Amino acid sequence: MSVQNLKRSSNNPDAGAPERWISPQPAPRSDAEWIACAPRSERELFLKSLSRNALLALPWLFDFWALPHQRAPDGAWRNWVCMGGRGAGKTRAGAEWVRAQVEGARPDTPGRARRVALVGETYDQVREVMIFGDSGVLACCPPDRRPQWEATRRRLVWPNGAVAQAFSAQEPEALRGPQFDAAWADELGKWKKAQDAWDMMQFALRLGDDPRCVVTTTPRNQGLLKDLLARDTTVVTQAPTHANKAWLAASFLAEVEARYGGTRLGRQELEGLLLDDAEGTLFPQALIEGCRIETAPAFDRVVVGLDPAVTGKAGSDLCGIVVVGAVTEGPPTDWRAVVLEDASVKAASPGDWARAALAAMERHGAERLIAEVNQGGDLVAEVLRQVDPLVPVTTVHATRGKVARAEPVAALYEQGRVRHLRGLQPLEEQMAQMTAQGFRGPGSPDRLDALVWAVHALILEPAAHWRRPRVRVL
């Protein structure tokens, strides 16, 4: 019995089936889902109708398993962008598309493509994700068609002679010289040299009658990706993380939905939506993306910015706790800051946020807490000293609005004088929604407030009182 016949008989009230098949909502999106939703008798009938060879081939028939966003669109196109949330099945879509391009009717029969470029953010990511990953090329190919990995030449070679070469987007010039009839670009949205690497890949994509490229990526507010999506020669498929829930841990889905559902970061990373900057933002996404570093330097000073929540009720504001280090050698124009950690806590009692702030101090060897006391007054310092009587605290009062305080900090970012370690997405989400007209996000920007106080204490206030050393001749 074919899948199409199974669908018809299962939805036909006159088919005489002994069991009733009620299709779930939303309706199944792949042939495999149709089979999974069928009664046991229908599933057994379908499997018994397959020959032994067909049954052995079934796990390798991606058209049977693919979700709509994982299928290459029909029609004439140059670039296919498969865009989605984390775990939506983008890597599998890219690997299966490469396989469909290079495989022929038999293992030794040539396919449509003979030379393929595999381009990722780094060479390690190409190897570990695109090639050897759980959804990579090697995992998708059946044993008789599986390519061999030639590590010294950084390439895959299929039994039919097709070759896929691995490239890093960090080295665009490596794409100068080779030529291809197909390409797979993975996580384009986070390439640091995106435009250069993309240009070199396009110049190399020149073999055959219709060279094509698939791009698999989580959306980022990046100029190249936005330009690519706007082209007439680009087709797009898109899906949220939840679309691939059958292959994801239920605990993972519950955790990320509880933590990021409804947030700007969740719309990008879970729903797979390309978000523009808030109009008039002080911290554009491109600015934030460009300030990330992998390791921190040695610091002259480290402080913890604290924007406390005075109450501990469920609806209370977040307590902003942000750790920042600074290098302050030479004149103020040479001073630099690095944001090390966002240790903010939600709906905590005063004692809880005090302990969280002190723990952050200890982790990073911070010399001082910079605490805003507009709401709590002397209570803030008292709560901190109840936990640690000797904690060094500088209390600050906000005499200007949030925008006025944030603008000079934004200027430091524009000058390239503030950097971020990775893992600061919730803080960066608040930064992206701070505009010249005010904060556009939900609630209060507590994380950003803590950051602003820390940068003021490390860079802006000392710089205002700095004087160039002078020599007096006696």
Side-chain angles (χ1 to χ4, degrees):
M1 174 181 282
S2 70
V3 174
Q4 292 302 321
N5 288 336
L6 176 60
K7 293 176 183 177
R8 286 195 293 270
S9 67
S10 300
N11 288 288
N12 183 356
D14 299 323
E19 301 175 66
R20 193 178 174 199
W21 179 12
I22 301 176
S23 177
Q25 295 296 326
R29 298 153 299 161
S30 69
D31 290 344
E33 282 195 6
W34 279 102
I35 299 299
C37 293
R40 181 175 180 177
S41 60
E42 297 284 359
R43 297 197 301 269
E44 291 178 349
L45 181 62
F46 169 73
L47 294 174
K48 288 179 180 178
S49 71
L50 300 177
S51 67
R52 182 176 182 276
N53 286 339
L55 196 59
L56 291 173
L58 191 60
W60 309 103
L61 298 178
F62 188 57
D63 282 345
F64 177 78
W65 303 94
L67 298 171
H69 71 281
Q70 296 176 309
R71 300 176 185 270
D74 297 328
W77 48 266
R78 169 79 172 183
N79 302 296
W80 166 32
V81 178
C82 180
M83 191 164 63
R86 299 287 187 92
K90 305 181 295 295
T91 302
R92 179 71 186 271
E96 291 285 0
W97 182 82
V98 168
R99 180 188 160 203
Q101 301 307 299
V102 302
E103 287 186 2
R106 300 175 61 85
D108 58 353
T109 304
R112 177 188 168 278
R114 301 284 291 171
R115 298 184 185 177
V116 183
L118 304 177
V119 189
E121 183 185 15
T122 66
Y123 170 69
D124 285 346
Q125 291 187 8
V126 175
R127 184 186 61 216
E128 300 301 327
V129 177
M130 301 172 71
I131 296 174
F132 286 96
D134 292 339
S135 299
V137 173
L138 291 178
C140 294
C141 293
D144 62 335
R145 298 165 186 257
R146 189 165 295 149
Q148 295 296 315
W149 170 243
E150 297 182 355
T152 56
R153 302 186 68 177
R154 296 185 177 183
R155 69 178 193 171
L156 289 169
V157 181
W158 272 262
N160 63 6
V163 175
Q165 189 79 38
F167 294 92
S168 167
Q170 301 275 41
E171 303 172 3
E173 290 300 310
L175 286 157
R176 186 186 294 276
Q179 51 187 355
F180 310 98
D181 46 15
W184 173 18
D186 187 48
E187 292 298 351
L188 175 71
K190 65 174 187 175
W191 290 4
K192 293 181 174 61
K193 299 181 180 179
Q195 192 65 60
D196 291 341
W198 180 261
D199 290 343
M200 290 299 101
M201 187 178 71
Q202 292 300 303
F203 286 129
L205 200 58
R206 57 180 183 260
L207 292 181
D209 297 330
D210 184 22
R212 292 183 170 190
C213 175
V214 60
V215 176
T216 53
T217 188
T218 304
R220 292 286 186 89
N221 188 13
Q222 179 210 65
L224 172 61
L225 182 57
K226 294 169 72 174
D227 176 66
L228 180 61
L229 293 173
R231 295 179 190 173
D232 294 336
T233 54
T234 298
V235 293
V236 182
T237 59
Q238 192 169 7
T241 298
H242 195 72
N244 202 34
K245 65 179 181 179
W247 303 99
L248 301 172
S251 58
F252 161 77
L253 292 171
E255 176 66 22
V256 296
E257 181 61 33
R259 185 167 183 176
Y260 303 110
T263 68
R264 181 180 175 87
L265 183 64
R267 290 194 296 275
Q268 173 180 285
E269 301 293 328
L270 300 180
E271 297 177 32
L273 301 177
L274 181 62
L275 305 178
D276 288 325
D277 290 326
E279 184 176 355
T281 180
L282 299 179
F283 303 93
Q285 191 63 40
L287 185 66
I288 296 172
E289 294 282 350
C291 76
R292 295 199 180 101
I293 58 175
E294 298 296 333
T295 57
F299 296 115
D300 298 306
R301 296 184 65 202
V302 178
V303 302
V304 175
L306 176 64
D307 183 37
V310 178
T311 63
K313 299 178 182 178
S316 300
D317 288 338
L318 190 83
C319 175
I321 303 171
V322 176
V323 186
V324 183
V327 178
T328 55
E329 295 180 353
T333 52
D334 294 339
W335 295 358
R336 300 289 185 269
V338 178
V339 185
L340 302 174
E341 183 187 358
D342 176 8
S344 303
V345 290
K346 175 68 176 175
S349 68
D352 287 340
W353 59 247
R355 282 185 286 271
L358 292 168
M361 285 187 72
E362 184 175 352
R363 281 194 299 274
H364 296 276
E367 65 183 55
R368 184 164 291 274
L369 269 168
I370 312 298
E372 179 184 326
V373 295
N374 277 47
Q375 296 184 43
D378 295 337
L379 171 65
V380 173
E382 290 177 5
V383 169
L384 289 165
R385 291 196 170 104
Q386 285 174 7
V387 179
D388 182 353
L390 300 179
V391 61
V393 182
T394 297
T395 58
V396 290
H397 295 264
T399 58
R400 297 183 297 166
K402 295 181 186 293
V403 174
R405 296 199 306 272
E407 282 177 336
V409 175
L412 293 178
Y413 276 84
E414 291 173 357
Q415 296 165 13
R417 296 172 59 190
V418 183
R419 300 291 184 180
H420 284 194
L421 293 184
R422 295 189 179 275
L424 299 170
Q425 288 87 352
L427 168 63
E428 293 168 353
E429 179 183 345
Q430 284 195 354
M431 293 172 66
Q433 296 178 85
M434 176 57 78
T435 74
Q437 291 74 41
F439 183 60
R440 299 305 186 203
S444 176
D446 308 282
R447 302 174 193 268
L448 177 57
D449 281 345
L451 166 67
V452 166
W453 287 122
V455 174
H456 270 271
L458 288 171
I459 302 290
L460 294 170
E461 291 179 6
H465 301 95
W466 186 86
R467 294 290 184 270
R468 185 176 299 276
R470 299 178 181 179
V471 176
R472 175 180 295 179
V473 179
L474 299 178

